[in-house]
Coordinates of all heavy atoms in Angstrom, one line a residue:
R1 N 0.8 -1.2 0.1 CA 0.0 0.0 0.0 C 0.8 1.3 0.0 O 0.6 2.2 -0.7 CB -0.9 -0.1 1.2 CG -1.8 1.1 1.4 CD -2.7 1.0 2.4 NE -2.7 2.2 3.2 CZ -3.7 2.6 3.9 NH1 -4.9 1.9 4.0 NH2 -3.9 3.6 4.6
W2 N 2.0 1.2 0.8 CA 2.8 2.4 0.8 C 3.8 2.2 -0.4 O 4.6 1.3 -0.5 CB 3.7 2.5 2.1 CG 2.9 2.8 3.3 CD1 1.5 2.8 3.3 CD2 3.3 2.8 4.6 NE1 1.0 3.0 4.7 CE2 2.3 2.9 5.4 CE3 4.6 2.7 5.1 CZ2 2.3 3.0 6.7 CZ3 4.8 2.7 6.4 CH2 3.6 2.9 7.3
R3 N 3.7 3.2 -1.3 CA 4.5 3.0 -2.4 C 5.8 3.9 -2.3 O 6.1 4.2 -1.2 CB 3.9 3.5 -3.7 CG 2.7 2.6 -4.0 CD 2.2 2.9 -5.3 NE 0.9 2.0 -5.5 CZ 0.1 2.1 -6.4 NH1 0.3 3.0 -7.4 NH2 -0.9 1.4 -6.6
R4 N 6.5 4.3 -3.4 CA 7.6 5.1 -3.2 C 7.4 6.3 -2.5 O 6.3 6.9 -2.4 CB 8.1 5.4 -4.6 CG 8.5 4.2 -5.4 CD 9.0 4.7 -6.8 NE 9.2 3.5 -7.6 CZ 9.3 3.6 -8.8 NH1 9.3 4.7 -9.5 NH2 9.6 2.4 -9.5
G5 N 8.6 6.8 -1.9 CA 8.5 8.1 -1.1 C 9.7 8.8 -1.4 O 10.8 8.2 -1.6
T6 N 9.5 10.2 -1.4 CA 10.7 10.9 -1.5 C 10.7 11.9 -0.3 O 9.7 12.4 0.1 CB 10.5 11.9 -2.9 OG1 10.4 11.0 -3.9 CG2 11.7 12.8 -2.9
R7 N 11.9 12.1 0.2 CA 12.1 12.9 1.3 C 12.6 14.2 0.9 O 13.6 14.3 -0.1 CB 13.0 12.3 2.4 CG 12.5 11.1 3.1 CD 13.3 10.7 4.1 NE 12.7 9.6 4.8 CZ 13.4 8.8 5.7 NH1 14.6 9.0 5.8 NH2 12.8 7.8 6.3
H8 N 12.0 15.2 1.4 CA 12.6 16.6 1.2 C 12.6 17.3 2.5 O 11.6 17.4 3.2 CB 11.7 17.3 0.2 CG 12.0 18.8 0.1 ND1 13.0 19.1 -0.8 CD2 11.5 19.9 0.5 CE1 13.1 20.5 -0.7 NE2 12.2 21.0 0.0
V9 N 13.8 17.9 2.8 CA 14.0 18.6 4.1 C 14.1 20.1 3.8 O 14.9 20.4 2.9 CB 15.2 18.0 4.8 CG1 15.5 18.9 6.1 CG2 15.1 16.5 5.1
R10 N 13.4 20.9 4.4 CA 13.4 22.2 4.3 C 13.6 22.9 5.7 O 12.9 22.8 6.6 CB 12.0 22.8 3.7 CG 12.1 24.3 3.4 CD 11.0 24.7 2.7 NE 11.1 26.0 2.3 CZ 10.6 27.1 2.7 NH1 10.0 27.1 3.8 NH2 10.9 28.3 2.2
R11 N 14.7 23.7 5.8 CA 15.0 24.4 7.1 C 14.1 25.7 7.0 O 14.3 26.5 5.9 CB 16.4 24.7 7.2 CG 16.8 25.3 8.5 CD 18.2 25.5 8.6 NE 18.5 26.2 9.8 CZ 18.9 27.5 9.9 NH1 18.9 28.2 8.7 NH2 19.2 28.1 11.0
Q12 N 13.4 26.0 7.9 CA 12.5 27.2 7.8 C 12.6 27.8 9.2 O 12.2 27.3 10.3 CB 11.2 26.8 7.5 CG 10.2 27.9 7.4 CD 8.8 27.3 6.8 OE1 8.9 26.3 6.2 NE2 7.8 28.0 7.1
P13 N 12.9 29.2 9.4 CA 13.0 29.8 10.7 C 11.6 30.4 11.3 O 11.5 31.4 11.5 CB 14.0 31.0 10.4 CG 13.6 31.3 9.0 CD 13.3 29.9 8.2
M14 N 10.7 29.3 11.4 CA 9.4 29.7 11.8 C 8.8 28.7 12.7 O 9.4 27.6 12.8 CB 8.5 29.9 10.6 CG 8.8 31.0 9.6 SD 7.7 31.0 8.2 CE 8.7 32.1 7.1
S15 N 7.8 29.0 13.3 CA 7.1 28.0 14.2 C 6.5 26.9 13.6 O 5.9 27.0 12.6 CB 6.2 28.9 15.0 OG 5.2 27.9 15.7
V16 N 6.6 25.7 14.2 CA 6.0 24.5 13.6 C 4.6 24.6 13.6 O 3.9 24.3 12.7 CB 6.4 23.3 14.5 CG1 5.5 22.1 14.1 CG2 7.8 22.8 14.2
S17 N 4.0 25.2 14.7 CA 2.6 25.2 14.8 C 1.8 26.2 13.8 O 0.7 26.1 13.6 CB 2.0 25.6 16.2 OG 2.6 26.9 16.5
S18 N 2.7 27.0 13.2 CA 2.0 27.9 12.2 C 2.5 27.8 10.7 O 1.9 26.9 10.1 CB 2.3 29.3 12.6 OG 3.7 29.5 12.7
S19 N 3.5 28.4 10.4 CA 3.8 28.5 8.9 C 4.4 27.1 8.4 O 4.2 26.7 7.3 CB 4.8 29.6 8.7 OG 6.0 29.4 9.6
G20 N 5.2 26.3 9.1 CA 5.6 25.1 8.7 C 4.6 24.1 8.3 O 4.6 23.5 7.3
E21 N 3.6 24.1 9.2 CA 2.4 23.1 9.0 C 1.6 23.6 7.8 O 1.0 22.9 7.0 CB 1.6 23.0 10.3 CG 0.6 22.0 10.2 CD 0.0 21.7 11.5 OE1 0.2 22.4 12.5 OE2 -0.9 20.8 11.6
M22 N 1.3 25.1 7.7 CA 0.5 25.7 6.6 C 1.3 25.3 5.3 O 0.6 25.0 4.3 CB 0.4 27.0 6.9 CG -0.6 27.3 7.9 SD -1.1 29.1 8.2 CE 0.4 30.0 8.0
L23 N 2.6 25.4 5.2 CA 3.3 25.2 4.0 C 3.2 23.7 3.7 O 2.8 23.4 2.4 CB 4.7 25.4 4.0 CG 5.6 25.2 2.9 CD1 5.2 25.9 1.6 CD2 7.1 25.4 3.3
A24 N 3.3 22.9 4.5 CA 3.2 21.4 4.2 C 1.8 21.0 3.8 O 1.6 20.3 2.8 CB 3.5 20.5 5.5
E25 N 0.8 21.7 4.4 CA -0.6 21.4 4.0 C -0.9 22.0 2.6 O -1.5 21.3 1.7 CB -1.6 22.1 5.0 CG -3.0 21.9 4.6 CD -3.4 20.3 4.6 OE1 -2.9 19.5 5.4 OE2 -4.3 20.0 3.9
R26 N -0.3 23.2 2.2 CA -0.5 23.6 0.9 C 0.2 22.8 -0.2 O -0.5 22.4 -1.2 CB 0.1 25.0 0.7 CG -0.7 26.0 1.4 CD -0.3 27.5 1.0 NE 0.9 27.8 0.4 CZ 1.9 28.5 0.9 NH1 1.7 29.1 2.2 NH2 3.1 28.8 0.3
L27 N 1.4 22.1 0.2 CA 1.9 21.3 -0.8 C 1.1 19.9 -0.9 O 1.0 19.4 -1.8 CB 3.4 20.9 -0.3 CG 4.4 22.0 -0.4 CD1 5.7 21.6 0.4 CD2 4.7 22.5 -1.9
R28 N 0.6 19.5 0.3 CA -0.1 18.1 0.2 C -1.4 18.4 -0.6 O -1.8 17.6 -1.4 CB -0.5 17.8 1.7 CG -1.3 16.4 1.7 CD -2.1 16.3 3.0 NE -3.2 17.3 2.9 CZ -4.3 17.2 2.2 NH1 -4.6 16.2 1.4 NH2 -5.2 18.2 2.4
T29 N -2.0 19.5 -0.5 CA -3.3 19.8 -1.3 C -3.0 20.0 -2.7 O -3.7 19.5 -3.5 CB -3.9 21.2 -0.7 OG1 -4.2 21.0 0.7 CG2 -5.2 21.4 -1.5
A30 N -1.9 20.6 -3.1 CA -1.5 20.7 -4.5 C -1.2 19.4 -5.1 O -1.7 19.2 -6.2 CB -0.2 21.6 -4.6
V31 N -0.6 18.6 -4.4 CA -0.3 17.1 -4.9 C -1.5 16.4 -5.1 O -1.8 15.8 -6.2 CB 0.7 16.4 -4.0 CG1 0.6 14.9 -4.3 CG2 2.1 16.9 -4.0
A32 N -2.4 16.5 -4.2 CA -3.7 15.8 -4.2 C -4.6 16.4 -5.6 O -5.1 15.6 -6.3 CB -4.5 16.0 -3.1
R33 N -4.5 17.7 -5.6 CA -5.3 18.3 -6.7 C -4.8 17.8 -8.1 O -5.4 17.4 -9.1 CB -5.2 19.7 -6.6 CG -6.2 20.5 -7.7 CD -6.3 22.0 -7.5 NE -5.0 22.6 -7.0 CZ -4.7 23.1 -5.9 NH1 -5.5 23.1 -4.9 NH2 -3.5 23.8 -5.7
V34 N -3.4 17.8 -8.3 CA -2.8 17.4 -9.6 C -2.8 15.9 -9.8 O -3.1 15.5 -10.9 CB -1.3 17.8 -9.6 CG1 -0.6 17.2 -10.7 CG2 -1.1 19.3 -9.5
G35 N -2.8 15.1 -8.7 CA -2.8 13.7 -8.8 C -4.1 13.1 -8.7 O -4.2 11.8 -8.7
E36 N -5.2 13.9 -8.5 CA -6.6 13.3 -8.2 C -7.0 12.2 -9.1 O -7.4 11.1 -8.8 CB -7.6 14.4 -8.1 CG -8.9 13.9 -7.8 CD -9.9 15.2 -7.8 OE1 -9.6 16.3 -8.3 OE2 -11.0 15.0 -7.2
A37 N -6.9 12.3 -10.5 CA -7.2 11.4 -11.5 C -6.5 10.1 -11.3 O -7.0 9.0 -11.8 CB -7.1 12.1 -12.8
R38 N -5.4 10.0 -10.8 CA -4.5 8.9 -10.8 C -4.4 8.4 -9.3 O -3.8 7.4 -9.0 CB -3.1 9.1 -11.3 CG -3.1 9.7 -12.7 CD -1.7 9.8 -13.2 NE -1.0 8.5 -13.4 CZ 0.2 8.4 -13.5 NH1 1.0 9.6 -13.7 NH2 0.8 7.2 -13.8
G39 N -5.2 8.9 -8.5 CA -5.2 8.4 -7.0 C -3.8 8.8 -6.3 O -3.6 8.1 -5.3
V40 N -3.2 9.8 -6.7 CA -1.9 10.2 -6.1 C -2.2 11.2 -4.8 O -3.0 12.1 -5.0 CB -1.0 10.9 -7.0 CG1 0.3 11.3 -6.3 CG2 -0.6 10.0 -8.2
T41 N -1.7 10.9 -3.8 CA -1.9 11.7 -2.6 C -0.4 11.8 -2.0 O 0.5 11.2 -2.3 CB -2.7 10.9 -1.4 OG1 -2.1 9.8 -1.1 CG2 -4.1 10.7 -2.0
A42 N -0.4 12.7 -0.9 CA 0.9 13.0 -0.3 C 0.6 13.0 1.3 O -0.4 13.6 1.8 CB 1.4 14.2 -0.8
S43 N 1.6 12.6 2.0 CA 1.8 12.8 3.3 C 2.9 13.6 3.6 O 3.9 13.5 3.0 CB 1.8 11.4 4.2 OG 0.6 10.7 3.9
A44 N 2.9 14.3 4.8 CA 4.0 15.2 5.1 C 4.1 15.2 6.7 O 3.1 15.0 7.3 CB 3.8 16.6 4.6
S45 N 5.4 15.5 7.0 CA 5.6 15.6 8.5 C 6.3 16.9 8.6 O 7.2 17.4 7.8 CB 6.4 14.5 9.0 OG 7.7 14.4 8.3
V46 N 6.1 17.6 9.8 CA 6.8 18.8 10.2 C 7.4 18.6 11.6 O 6.7 18.1 12.5 CB 5.8 20.0 10.2 CG1 6.4 21.3 10.7 CG2 5.1 20.2 8.9
A47 N 8.6 18.8 11.8 CA 9.3 18.6 13.0 C 10.0 19.9 13.4 O 10.5 20.6 12.5 CB 10.3 17.5 13.0
E48 N 10.1 20.2 14.7 CA 10.7 21.4 15.1 C 12.0 21.1 15.8 O 12.2 20.0 16.4 CB 9.8 22.0 16.3 CG 10.3 23.3 16.8 CD 9.3 23.9 17.6 OE1 8.1 23.5 17.7 OE2 9.5 25.0 18.1
V49 N 13.1 21.8 15.7 CA 14.3 21.7 16.2 C 14.1 22.2 17.7 O 13.6 23.2 17.9 CB 15.5 22.5 15.6 CG1 16.7 22.4 16.3 CG2 15.6 22.1 14.1
E50 N 14.7 21.3 18.6 CA 14.6 21.6 20.0 C 16.1 21.8 20.4 O 17.1 21.4 19.8 CB 14.1 20.3 20.8 CG 12.7 19.9 20.4 CD 11.7 21.0 20.8 OE1 11.9 21.6 21.8 OE2 10.7 21.0 20.2
P51 N 16.3 22.6 21.6 CA 17.5 23.0 22.1 C 18.4 21.6 22.3 O 17.9 20.6 22.9 CB 17.4 23.6 23.4 CG 16.0 24.2 23.3 CD 15.2 23.2 22.4
G52 N 19.6 21.6 21.8 CA 20.5 20.4 22.0 C 20.4 19.4 21.0 O 21.0 18.4 20.8
D53 N 19.4 19.6 20.1 CA 19.2 18.6 18.8 C 20.4 18.6 17.9 O 21.0 19.7 17.7 CB 17.9 18.9 18.1 CG 16.7 18.5 18.6 OD1 16.8 17.6 19.6 OD2 15.7 18.8 18.0
D54 N 20.7 17.4 17.3 CA 21.6 17.5 16.2 C 20.6 17.1 15.0 O 19.4 16.8 15.1 CB 22.8 16.6 16.4 CG 22.5 15.1 16.5 OD1 21.2 14.7 16.2 OD2 23.2 14.3 17.2
V55 N 21.3 17.0 13.8 CA 20.6 16.7 12.7 C 19.7 15.4 12.7 O 18.6 15.2 12.2 CB 21.4 16.8 11.4 CG1 22.4 15.7 11.3 CG2 20.4 16.8 10.1
W56 N 20.4 14.3 13.4 CA 19.7 13.0 13.6 C 18.6 13.0 14.4 O 17.5 12.3 14.2 CB 20.9 12.0 14.0 CG 22.0 11.9 13.0 CD1 23.2 12.4 13.1 CD2 21.9 11.6 11.6 NE1 24.0 12.2 12.0 CE2 23.1 11.8 11.1 CE3 20.9 11.1 10.8 CZ2 23.4 11.4 9.8 CZ3 21.1 10.8 9.4 CH2 22.4 11.0 9.0
D57 N 18.6 13.9 15.5 CA 17.4 14.0 16.3 C 16.2 14.6 15.6 O 15.1 14.1 15.7 CB 17.7 14.9 17.6 CG 18.8 14.4 18.4 OD1 18.8 13.2 18.7 OD2 19.6 15.3 19.0
L58 N 16.6 15.6 14.8 CA 15.5 16.3 14.0 C 14.9 15.2 12.9 O 13.7 15.1 12.8 CB 16.0 17.5 13.3 CG 15.0 18.2 12.4 CD1 13.8 18.7 13.2 CD2 15.7 19.4 11.7
M59 N 15.8 14.5 12.2 CA 15.4 13.4 11.2 C 14.6 12.4 12.0 O 13.5 12.0 11.3 CB 16.5 12.9 10.5 CG 17.3 14.1 9.6 SD 16.2 14.8 8.4 CE 15.8 13.4 7.4
H60 N 14.9 12.0 13.1 CA 14.2 10.9 13.7 C 12.8 11.5 14.1 O 11.8 10.8 13.8 CB 15.0 10.5 15.1 CG 14.1 9.5 15.9 ND1 14.0 8.2 15.5 CD2 13.4 9.7 17.0 CE1 13.2 7.6 16.4 NE2 12.8 8.5 17.3
R61 N 12.6 12.7 14.6 CA 11.4 13.3 15.0 C 10.4 13.4 13.7 O 9.3 13.0 13.6 CB 11.6 14.6 15.6 CG 10.4 15.1 16.3 CD 10.7 16.3 17.1 NE 11.7 16.1 18.1 CZ 12.9 16.7 18.1 NH1 13.1 17.6 17.2 NH2 13.8 16.4 19.0
A62 N 11.2 13.8 12.5 CA 10.4 13.9 11.3 C 9.9 12.6 10.7 O 8.8 12.5 10.3 CB 11.3 14.7 10.3
D63 N 10.7 11.6 10.8 CA 10.4 10.2 10.5 C 9.2 9.6 11.4 O 8.3 9.1 10.9 CB 11.5 9.3 10.6 CG 12.5 9.3 9.4 OD1 12.2 10.1 8.4 OD2 13.6 8.8 9.6
A64 N 9.3 9.9 12.7 CA 8.2 9.5 13.5 C 6.8 10.2 13.1 O 5.9 9.5 13.1 CB 8.6 9.9 15.0
A65 N 6.9 11.4 12.8 CA 5.7 12.1 12.4 C 5.2 11.7 11.1 O 3.9 11.5 11.0 CB 5.9 13.6 12.2
M66 N 6.1 11.3 10.2 CA 5.7 10.7 8.8 C 5.0 9.3 9.1 O 4.0 9.0 8.5 CB 6.9 10.6 7.9 CG 6.5 10.0 6.6 SD 5.3 11.0 5.6 CE 6.3 12.3 5.1
Y67 N 5.6 8.5 9.9 CA 5.0 7.3 10.3 C 3.7 7.4 10.9 O 2.7 6.7 10.5 CB 6.0 6.5 11.3 CG 5.4 5.2 11.6 CD1 5.6 4.0 10.8 CD2 4.8 4.9 12.8 CE1 5.0 2.8 11.0 CE2 4.1 3.7 13.2 CZ 4.5 2.7 12.3 OH 3.9 1.4 12.7
R68 N 3.3 8.3 11.6 CA 2.1 8.6 12.1 C 1.1 9.0 11.0 O 0.0 8.6 11.0 CB 2.2 9.7 13.2 CG 2.8 9.2 14.5 CD 2.7 10.3 15.5 NE 3.4 10.1 16.8 CZ 3.4 10.6 17.8 NH1 2.9 11.9 17.9 NH2 4.0 10.2 18.9
S69 N 1.6 9.9 10.1 CA 0.7 10.2 9.0 C 0.3 9.0 8.2 O -0.8 8.8 7.9 CB 1.5 11.1 8.1 OG 1.6 12.6 8.6
K70 N 1.3 8.2 7.9 CA 1.1 7.0 7.0 C 0.1 6.0 7.8 O -0.9 5.4 7.2 CB 2.4 6.3 6.6 CG 3.2 7.1 5.8 CD 2.8 7.1 4.5 CE 3.8 7.8 3.5 NZ 3.4 7.7 2.1
T71 N 0.4 5.7 9.1 CA -0.5 4.7 9.8 C -1.8 5.2 10.1 O -2.8 4.5 10.2 CB 0.2 4.3 11.0 OG1 0.4 5.4 12.0 CG2 1.6 3.5 10.8
A72 N -2.0 6.6 9.9 CA -3.3 7.1 10.1 C -4.2 7.2 8.8 O -5.3 7.7 8.7 CB -3.2 8.5 10.7
G73 N -3.6 6.6 7.7 CA -4.3 6.5 6.5 C -3.8 7.3 5.4 O -4.2 7.3 4.3
G74 N -2.7 8.1 5.6 CA -2.0 8.9 4.6 C -2.8 10.1 4.3 O -3.9 10.5 4.9
D75 N -2.2 10.8 3.3 CA -3.0 12.1 2.8 C -3.1 13.0 3.9 O -4.3 13.6 4.0 CB -4.2 11.7 2.0 CG -4.6 12.9 1.1 OD1 -3.9 13.7 0.7 OD2 -5.8 13.0 0.9
R76 N -2.2 13.4 4.7 CA -2.3 14.2 5.8 C -0.9 14.8 6.2 O 0.1 14.2 5.8 CB -3.0 13.5 6.9 CG -2.0 12.5 7.7 CD -2.9 11.7 8.7 NE -3.9 10.9 8.0 CZ -5.2 11.0 8.4 NH1 -5.6 11.5 9.3 NH2 -6.0 10.1 7.6
V77 N -1.0 15.8 7.0 CA 0.2 16.5 7.6 C 0.2 16.2 9.0 O -0.9 16.4 9.7 CB 0.3 18.0 7.3 CG1 1.3 18.7 8.0 CG2 0.2 18.2 5.9
T78 N 1.3 15.6 9.5 CA 1.4 15.5 11.0 C 2.7 16.3 11.5 O 3.8 16.3 11.0 CB 1.7 13.9 11.3 OG1 0.6 13.3 10.8 CG2 1.8 13.7 12.8
T79 N 2.4 16.9 12.6 CA 3.4 17.7 13.3 C 3.8 17.1 14.6 O 3.0 16.6 15.3 CB 2.8 19.2 13.6 OG1 2.5 19.8 12.4 CG2 3.9 20.1 14.2
L80 N 5.1 17.1 14.9 CA 5.7 16.5 16.0 C 6.7 17.3 16.7 O 7.7 17.7 16.0 CB 6.1 15.0 15.7 CG 6.6 14.2 16.8 CD1 5.5 14.0 17.9 CD2 7.2 12.8 16.4
S81 N 6.5 17.7 17.9 CA 7.6 18.4 18.6 C 7.7 17.8 19.9 O 6.7 17.2 20.4 CB 7.5 19.8 18.6 OG 6.2 20.1 19.2
Y82 N 8.8 17.9 20.6 CA 8.9 17.4 21.9 C 9.3 18.6 23.0 O 9.8 19.6 22.7 CB 10.1 16.4 22.0 CG 9.8 15.1 21.2 CD1 10.3 14.9 20.1 CD2 8.9 14.1 21.9 CE1 10.0 13.7 19.5 CE2 8.7 13.0 21.2 CZ 9.2 12.8 20.0 OH 9.0 11.6 19.3

């Protein structure tokens, strides 16, 4: 059921709860609109850098959020911060 996936990381100096999630939702909606005829959807995750994080901490958090999106049925944006 889960097909190919592409990861894209974007560093953005804004709050997770606002603009990062809104950007991810706009991208998800655009993919759904373009891919509607073929049943193409997108899931996205948004993770916030916490004090003391290294890149692997952030990637782990983003992967955990993506897993939540996928297991919840896909075609959604999930935000995860600690």
Side-chain angles (χ1 to χ4, degrees):
R1 177 173 136 155
W2 298 358
R3 296 193 186 169
R4 295 181 186 166
T6 300
R7 290 187 181 169
H8 173 75
V9 176
R10 182 172 194 265
R11 182 174 177 261
Q12 182 173 332
M14 298 174 195
S15 161
V16 164
S17 60
S18 61
S19 58
E21 191 170 2
M22 289 187 319
L23 174 61
E25 183 60 32
R26 284 195 344 241
L27 291 170
R28 187 204 61 77
T29 302
V31 168
R33 187 172 42 250
V34 171
E36 184 176 16
R38 299 181 74 191
V40 175
T41 62
S43 294
S45 64
V46 178
E48 186 173 353
V49 175
E50 299 292 332
D53 277 354
D54 62 22
V55 69
W56 301 113
D57 295 325
L58 180 61
M59 293 304 291
H60 176 73
R61 197 171 302 117
D63 281 346
M66 180 60 77
Y67 180 77
R68 288 182 184 184
S69 286
K70 296 286 190 175
T71 57
D75 196 26
R76 69 190 68 233
V77 174
T78 302
T79 300
L80 186 61
S81 61
Y82 292 105

